[in-house]
Amino acid sequence: ASPMRAGATSSEGRRRGSATTPLPSYEFSGAVDRVFRDFASGGSELDGRSFAKLCKDCGLVNRSFTATSADLVYKKVMAGKNRRMNISEFYEGLLHISSQTGLEPEDVEMKVMNCSGPVRSGTQAEPVRFHDDKTTYTGRHAA
């Protein structure tokens, strides 16, 4: 048998902290839909990686709400469902973020609405003399 804390029922002993607080009801605006579509690459569903990137790029990730917290919110919303999040599940995820961070749903909505879309960054290659400088070509490739 698993160890239990004093006063806990058997289901509470196995899953500590599983008590859920009711989510507030809130109606999100259409501007949130635009950001959702941007991160869904024009599609209608987000995967977990895209949801975490949205949270990071919109400024929702900080010391108290980490990237791991975003993954956990995604898993909580998607429990027992398919792997991709639709817009209504996204709204539910934003409400979970609101309750975890202590922000009002309006503040979470403003952060998402002010997001300009996914931040794409890549590595810039250094110039390579023998490749980029055609005067150093030898053999049949020399001009």
Side-chain angles (χ1 to χ4, degrees):
S2 63
M4 292 179 24
R5 58 187 155 84
T9 64
S10 61
S11 64
E12 286 176 330
R14 277 184 258 128
R15 294 184 49 163
R16 284 187 110 176
S18 63
T20 58
T21 56
L23 293 175
S25 65
Y26 183 75
E27 197 69 33
F28 290 96
S29 71
V32 174
D33 294 0
R34 175 195 56 82
V35 176
F36 175 84
R37 283 191 307 276
D38 288 347
F39 279 88
S41 301
S44 60
E45 295 180 324
L46 279 178
D47 60 4
R49 182 181 57 86
S50 299
F51 180 74
K53 181 163 179 52
L54 182 145
C55 291
K56 181 177 177 245
D57 291 353
C58 292
L60 296 170
V61 173
N62 55 30
R63 289 190 118 174
S64 64
F65 185 78
T66 63
T68 304
S69 303
D71 288 336
L72 293 173
V73 165
Y74 182 83
K75 293 215 183 291
K76 180 183 270 188
V77 171
M78 300 308 293
K81 300 176 188 168
N82 58 2
R83 292 181 166 262
R84 300 182 67 80
M85 176 183 273
N86 63 29
I87 191 72
S88 63
E89 293 161 340
F90 175 65
Y91 292 153
E92 184 183 343
L94 293 179
L95 291 174
H96 279 289
I97 291 170
S98 170
S99 69
Q100 285 187 16
T101 58
L103 294 171
E104 293 296 320
E106 298 87 13
D107 298 332
V108 172
E109 178 182 34
M110 287 305 297
K111 284 188 172 212
V112 172
M113 285 183 355
N114 292 332
C115 185
S116 60
V119 177
R120 306 205 193 280
S121 62
T123 317
Q124 186 67 29
E126 293 289 322
V128 178
R129 185 178 68 131
F130 293 115
H131 180 268
D132 298 332
D133 185 6
K134 294 188 191 273
T135 62
T136 60
Y137 284 10
T138 61
R140 67 176 227 201
H141 298 292

